[in-house]
Amino acid sequence: MSVNTSDLTDREKEWVEFSYTHEKNQDVKRTWEQLPAEGVKSYLEQQIPLLCGDTGALMQSLKETGYEAGEMQEYKKKTAELIC
């Protein structure tokens, strides 16, 4: 299954696809898959302050989810490049 990114900019689409592909929590993946296009856009807009604000909190969250150090750095870099 995939995520409906039809309402997103190219950079937002790239970030959502990257995030979805690297997501370790299957419940989160299913939530992304079930959202309509406007829901994906709304969810992303809600997440941007969290993703682009406190990078320490972002890193801690990723670590708790099971990301390895290299994966965390890649996630942080992609987030900064594409949506922050």
Side-chain angles (χ1 to χ4, degrees), residues 18-61:
F18 171 82
S19 181
Y20 175 81
T21 301
H22 290 83
E23 181 57 58
K24 298 190 182 295
N25 183 323
Q26 292 304 312
D27 291 334
V28 172
K29 282 185 122 167
R30 278 190 289 279
T31 298
W32 275 106
E33 292 165 359
Q34 294 170 358
L35 289 172
E38 62 274 3
V40 171
K41 178 81 171 171
S42 176
Y43 180 76
L44 178 60
E45 288 171 352
Q46 291 173 13
Q47 294 302 304
I48 287 175
L50 302 170
L51 294 167
C52 300
D54 183 352
T55 57
L58 172 62
M59 294 305 194
Q60 184 61 37
S61 174

Side-chain angles (χ1 to χ4, degrees), residues 2-18:
S2 64
V3 179
N4 186 341
T5 58
S6 61
D7 283 358
L8 304 179
T9 67
D10 289 343
R11 292 169 69 87
E12 290 170 338
K13 284 180 188 178
E14 186 176 345
W15 184 87
V16 168
E17 290 165 4
F18 171 82

